[in-house]
Amino acid sequence: MAIEPDPHLSMVRPVSPRSPEGCEECLRLGSPWVHLRLCLTCGHVGCCDSMEPGETWRWCYAHEAMA
């Protein structure tokens, strides 16, 4: 069975971070963030605690799959 490419990859475009100073939710709550993530379709900056230096993978939240 062939793996279909994620259709959301076609939505990836150059974006500017909406909150270049850090994670939008953490800044709103006044809490520290961990590893920052950038949405490649809208520029949302969020964070997550599962990242290693040098990683270059992408995650599709709609399909819950790596892209």
Side-chain angles (χ1 to χ4, degrees), residues 11-62:
M11 297 170 65
V12 171
R13 60 187 179 86
V15 295
S16 295
R18 293 190 324 210
S19 59
E21 61 279 356
C23 171
E24 290 183 32
E25 290 77 20
C26 293
L27 289 166
R28 189 172 27 251
L29 295 170
S31 63
W33 57 85
V34 285
H35 304 288
L36 295 177
R37 301 279 192 237
L38 174 65
C39 177
L40 298 176
T41 60
C42 73
H44 176 269
V45 177
C47 68
C48 136
D49 63 0
S50 61
M51 182 181 177
E52 296 295 323
E55 287 183 336
T56 58
W57 53 270
R58 292 182 215 131
W59 179 258
C60 177
Y61 286 93

